[in-house]
Amino acid sequence: MSPKAKDELAADHLLVAREALDNERPGDALNALFYGSEAAIVALADANGIGTKKNHHLKASAAAELHQKGVLKTDFGPLLRQLNQGRKDYWYEGDDPHIDLENAYDEVSHLVTAAQEDK
């Protein structure tokens, strides 16, 4: 079985995030938003010749570069960093991630749409 295209994987994660938000499972929503945003960035980075090497930091940097190149209207690097830190705070430390998950969902939704349209 071959792996899914990254933009499809991003859309799948977004669906999981919506379901988790609707059922008040913030940790699951946070994970799905994080992985969805990263998958969308990887799809865009791959299509635009930007390396990410399965590294969270490089994916956030790729998001900034995609914005600088005009591929994305928004720099999603800060969102990726915030989601990654929030995920760590929630799952590793048991802390409140201090993220508005509905707002993050909207941002990731825009990012996933951009990845799907960039084909």
Side-chain angles (χ1 to χ4, degrees):
M1 182 170 155
S2 57
K4 280 189 178 183
K6 293 297 183 186
D7 64 316
E8 291 177 33
L9 187 58
D12 290 349
H13 285 305
L14 192 62
L15 290 173
V16 170
R18 180 74 267 158
E19 191 269 333
L21 286 168
D22 291 345
N23 289 290
E24 299 181 17
R25 294 191 332 267
D28 294 337
L30 188 55
N31 275 348
L33 290 169
F34 173 68
Y35 293 121
S37 64
E38 281 206 338
I41 288 295
V42 169
L44 288 162
D46 287 351
N48 288 278
I50 300 169
T52 58
K53 298 181 185 175
K54 296 186 180 185
N55 178 298
H56 299 309
H57 175 72
L58 290 177
K59 291 172 188 171
S61 295
E65 188 173 342
L66 287 162
H67 173 63
Q68 290 168 351
K69 288 184 170 189
V71 175
L72 292 171
K73 294 178 185 176
T74 303
D75 177 359
F76 288 97
L79 175 65
L80 268 69
R81 288 182 189 94
Q82 182 183 27
L83 290 170
N84 188 32
Q85 187 59 51
R87 175 183 68 91
K88 291 177 186 178
D89 291 346
Y90 186 89
W91 290 107
Y92 298 149
E93 305 299 329
D95 291 340
D96 181 352
H98 304 290
I99 296 173
D100 179 335
L101 292 175
E102 286 293 343
N103 185 52
Y105 176 86
D106 290 342
E107 289 185 66
V108 174
S109 181
H110 291 302
L111 179 55
V112 170
T113 299
Q116 292 172 321
E117 291 175 349
D118 192 62
K119 286 188 163 184

